[in-house]
Amino acid sequence: MSVADGKPIDLPERMTRADAVLAGMPLLFAGGYGVGAAVFGGWVAATANASIACTALMLDALVRNPPRAQ
């Protein structure tokens, strides 16, 4: 089931919570880094700010609402 086989790839019928978390992590990191760079002016503080923002989403996705087998 890949493009190399010449067959189209099937898309999932709906987006799950885990899919949304995986899509949101890089967006949240980039946004947190941008805000941190604008406020603090250095890359160390900006990276720490972005990492802390992503940690909250990751803990919610793994501990509070873990993915369930389908």
Side-chain angles (χ1 to χ4, degrees), residues 3-36:
V3 178
D5 297 337
K7 299 176 187 172
I9 298 174
D10 295 332
L11 295 175
E13 291 186 17
R14 65 182 188 94
M15 185 176 211
T16 64
R17 181 179 175 86
D19 294 333
V21 168
L22 287 174
M25 289 287 265
L27 297 174
L28 186 61
F29 190 86
Y33 187 87
V35 168

Side-chain angles (χ1 to χ4, degrees), residues 1 3-5 12-14 34 37 40 46 49 51 53 60-63 70:
M1 209 159 49
V3 178
D5 297 337
E13 291 186 17
R14 65 182 188 94
F40 300 115
N49 185 37
S51 298
D60 175 62
L62 292 176
V63 177
Q70 295 180 4

Side-chain angles (χ1 to χ4, degrees), residues 25-69:
M25 289 287 265
L27 297 174
L28 186 61
F29 190 86
Y33 187 87
V35 168
V39 171
F40 300 115
W43 68 271
V44 174
T47 304
N49 185 37
S51 298
I52 290 170
C54 286
T55 300
L57 183 61
M58 182 179 60
L59 288 175
D60 175 62
L62 292 176
V63 177
R64 188 166 179 237
N65 298 308
R68 307 229 188 308

